[in-house]
Amino acid sequence: MTPVVATPSPSRQRRRILQATIIVLVVLLGNLPYVGSWASDQYDQWQSHKPDYMRANGRWDIVADSGSRSIHAAMLRTGKVLLMAGSGNDKKNFDAKRFETVLWDPVANTFQKIYTPWDVFCAGHAFLPNGELLIAGGTKAYEVLAQDSPDGKKKEYKGLKDAYLFDPILERFVRTGFLQHARWYPTLVTLANGAVVAVSGLNENGDIDPGNTESYSAASASWIEHPDLRKEFPTYPSLLLAADGRLFFSGANAGYGPASLAARQSGLWNLTNNNFQTVPGLPLPEVNETAGTVMLAPAQDQKVMFIGGGGVGDTQVATDRTAIVDLSRPAPAWVRGPDLSSPKRYPGAVVLPDDTVLVSGGSRRYRAKDTLTAEIYNPVTNTFRQVADPHVGRDYHSEYLLLPDGRVAVFGSNPLSDDNTFDTRVEVYSPPYLYAGTRPVVQGAPTAVTRGTTISFRTSQQVGKVRLIRPGAYTHVTDTEQRSVALPITAQSNGTVTVSVPANPNVLPGDWYMLFVDNGANVPSVATWVQVAQ
């Protein structure tokens, strides 16, 4: 016998549909913030991958997780990136003597652990002319807060005298001569003669260095004291080698130091007679801590930009101001530049092959992870324009490097939080020029060049400009290496380009550089590595 199936009445069907609809609406309304956020994220993802959007704004991609609390990052001549953490701002690692360094290969997107024999955390570094990275100082002891100290007094971090070279070919650290003065939070900067000057930092007792100056000699693998050169700086002072051989202190710094304006005064320091020529006019000089400094391209123009910054110490003050100074003038002075899109401490700044500057990351407050913005500065128009927003906020202990393929890699971030959060994701920005057409190809470029000569190479397209960009070595908003040097075109015919190499070693210090050419429409080649002979 065939069973009889009861058919619901139309009114009962309507009630069931209504009940189901109400349940769905209740669930949606209860989760509306999450649904809205998900939908917004999906739209942003779709929008950011549209070709027209990328041509105008570029694109950010999280490409890896290094697993390392990187404090320092350096672009090596092998195309790999050295990420140094040491104890990584983690006292448990320090007490256990767990010191870490990893080597990232951006092409293979792989990470290799490097044996690290000392706590490189908060050291200083600079490249030698042969491409080795000199690292000096580090952490002898962590700070102890007053409430944790037996005598009720705060103990500061203490510095080390250790110094090492990182060999990019052997991919290992090699011990070299000890510093004359222990340093934690120092700045190292390479001079035209290949010597490396070290200044500032906290010593082995946790006191700010009173102005001791020393330099590293690669020939003797030793540090030489200069008692006639005494200059007090705050820690991690931003120093750049100027065209006349003096060191320019922008006034930007990170961390510790004398509160006096005299020690924080911007100026040009003469290393032959210890004279310090002040550079006046910096707007809001009381908020120059955790600011960025970058030499604009080309380096021959000797223009330096000061970016953002905040109040001394852990104050919550931040500023959106920028300022620009022309060091080629007899009496240089700062003039206010265009404002950033928002106030920023710890801004990352990278000179790009098209002479623009990417400014990204940063924090509106002291070690607060709250700024997801990026903008590009155009030195020709003296304007900023906002571009694609990064996915990861970056503040204290973050690093920014130009890669040989024209992208920018960003690492680290250590905002203040109860669990001492440290972001270990690697994010890469692809600028708009990577979506603007076929890139030129360079062939036959020499691997070594001599200043004051000409060189020739072949290209697949007509060339608009040629740049030698020094690889960065970044930590604590400080990068003394970064500079883009113009190679003027003297001849161009049938795919062969001849350029002149600047003669001034203060403009073009000895080192390995990334050679970029563009096609006249600001589309750059992939870089070719070239060594400028010492």
Side-chain angles (χ1 to χ4, degrees):
M1 181 177 179
T2 302
V4 177
V5 179
T7 302
S9 66
S11 60
R12 181 178 293 182
Q13 283 183 319
R14 284 195 294 269
R15 282 198 302 272
R16 288 180 178 176
I17 292 171
L18 180 60
Q19 288 171 345
T21 302
I22 290 172
I23 291 171
V24 171
L25 287 173
V26 168
V27 171
L28 286 175
L29 288 171
N31 293 275
L32 192 58
Y34 305 101
V35 173
S37 175
W38 177 85
S40 177
D41 288 345
Q42 293 302 305
Y43 174 80
D44 289 345
Q45 181 79 353
W46 171 77
Q47 175 73 13
S48 66
H49 286 68
K50 293 175 65 176
D52 288 346
Y53 181 88
M54 293 188 294
R55 275 192 292 269
N57 302 286
R59 170 177 162 176
W60 290 87
D61 293 285
I62 298 172
V63 299
D65 191 327
S66 71
S68 177
R69 300 161 66 92
S70 58
I71 309 293
H72 313 262
M75 182 73 241
L76 305 177
R77 68 180 183 90
T78 57
K80 296 181 180 180
V81 175
L82 190 69
L83 299 174
M84 296 177 286
S87 57
N89 200 20
D90 187 330
K91 192 173 185 301
K92 292 180 181 178
N93 285 340
F94 177 82
D95 292 340
K97 298 188 183 302
R98 289 194 298 263
F99 308 140
E100 186 175 76
T101 298
V102 297
L103 196 60
W104 177 49
D105 184 335
V107 177
N109 202 18
T110 56
F111 295 89
Q112 171 190 348
K113 286 196 173 184
I114 302 294
Y115 171 68
T116 310
W118 88 115
D119 194 3
V120 65
F121 174 54
C122 295
H125 37 68
F127 281 110
L128 298 178
N130 66 357
E132 293 180 331
L133 185 70
L134 173 66
I135 309 107
T139 303
K140 175 184 177 183
Y142 268 62
E143 69 177 356
V144 179
L145 300 178
Q147 62 265 29
D148 300 325
S149 176
D151 60 5
K153 296 181 180 179
K154 185 178 185 294
K155 307 295 192 300
E156 296 290 359
Y157 284 94
K158 297 178 181 180
L160 290 171
K161 292 185 178 181
D162 295 63
Y164 286 81
L165 300 173
F166 185 80
D167 187 320
I169 304 302
L170 298 178
E171 297 183 344
R172 68 183 186 187
F173 290 106
V174 179
R175 181 183 284 279
T176 188
F178 286 96
L179 287 161
Q180 298 289 333
H181 302 274
R183 300 184 188 272
W184 185 89
Y185 264 49
T187 289
L188 273 59
V189 59
T190 307
L191 304 181
N193 63 2
V196 178
V197 170
V199 299
S200 193
L202 303 186
N203 64 18
E204 65 271 20
N205 299 316
D207 300 321
I208 183 72
D209 185 272
N212 297 302
T213 304
E214 56 189 301
S215 66
Y216 178 78
S217 167
S220 61
S222 63
W223 291 89
I224 302 166
E225 184 139 28
H226 299 280
D228 52 334
L229 294 177
R230 293 191 64 82
K231 180 72 180 76
E232 188 177 27
F233 291 102
T235 54
Y236 278 132
S238 180
L239 297 173
L240 297 172
L241 179 63
D244 62 6
R246 291 183 291 178
L247 290 183
F248 175 60
F249 173 47
S250 73
N253 64 95
Y256 301 75
S260 67
L261 287 179
R264 296 172 178 270
Q265 171 64 53
S266 173
L268 286 154
W269 185 28
N270 192 320
L271 297 180
T272 61
N273 59 14
N274 204 40
N275 177 263
F276 188 80
Q277 178 186 350
T278 61
V279 173
L282 182 65
L284 307 174
E286 70 280 5
V287 287
N288 59 4
E289 194 161 285
T290 63
T293 304
V294 64
M295 181 175 285
L296 299 176
Q300 288 94 326
D301 289 352
Q302 290 292 282
K303 291 183 178 179
V304 175
M305 174 174 263
F306 194 101
I307 305 168
V312 174
D314 58 1
T315 61
Q316 301 303 308
V317 178
T319 178
D320 60 1
R321 67 89 157 81
T322 71
I324 299 171
V325 63
D326 184 347
L327 299 180
S328 66
R329 295 179 177 272
W334 292 99
V335 295
R336 185 140 187 170
D339 289 346
L340 299 166
S341 60
S342 64
K344 289 187 178 185
R345 300 178 70 124
Y346 325 101
V350 176
V351 177
L352 302 177
D354 64 354
D355 292 352
T356 63
V357 180
L358 173 70
V359 178
S360 178
S363 170
R364 290 176 181 266
R365 303 184 307 280
Y366 176 74
R367 293 183 65 182
K369 183 178 175 182
D370 64 354
T371 303
L372 286 172
T373 61
E375 48 212 303
I376 288 180
Y377 173 74
N378 187 330
V380 176
T381 60
N382 191 32
T383 57
F384 280 103
R385 70 177 185 89
Q386 287 193 257
V387 292
D389 296 333
H391 304 293
V392 181
R394 308 282 180 175
D395 71 332
Y396 185 56
H397 288 156
S398 57
E399 307 90 48
Y400 302 76
L401 294 175
L402 176 68
L403 299 178
D405 62 9
R407 298 180 298 163
V408 176
V410 187
F411 317 89
S413 190
N414 191 187
L416 202 59
S417 59
D418 292 337
D419 60 356
N420 196 26
T421 301
F422 202 110
D423 205 304
T424 59
R425 289 173 291 178
V426 178
E427 190 168 14
V428 171
Y429 178 63
S430 299
Y433 52 62
L434 294 182
Y435 305 97
T438 304
R439 305 180 70 175
V441 176
V442 176
Q443 294 179 322
T447 56
V449 302
T450 302
R451 287 184 291 262
T453 64
T454 61
I455 60 171
S456 297
F457 49 83
R458 298 184 304 280
T459 61
S460 61
Q461 299 180 41
Q462 188 80 1
V463 170
K465 59 179 177 288
V466 182
R467 297 289 184 264
L468 284 179
I469 300 185
R470 197 174 188 194
Y474 196 105
T475 188
H476 292 80
V477 210
T478 305
D479 188 345
T480 64
E481 308 288 17
Q482 187 177 197
R483 64 176 57 208
S484 176
V485 181
L487 300 188
I489 298 172
T490 59
Q492 185 170 185
S493 177
N494 298 322
T496 297
V497 181
T498 301
V499 297
S500 61
V501 182
N504 187 345
N506 296 310
V507 170
L508 188 64
D511 197 358
W512 285 82
Y513 286 74
M514 293 179 282
L515 172 70
F516 288 96
V517 307
D518 76 26
N519 64 358
N522 291 321
V523 176
S525 65
V526 172
T528 297
W529 286 97
V530 175
Q531 186 179 24
V532 175
Q534 182 56 40

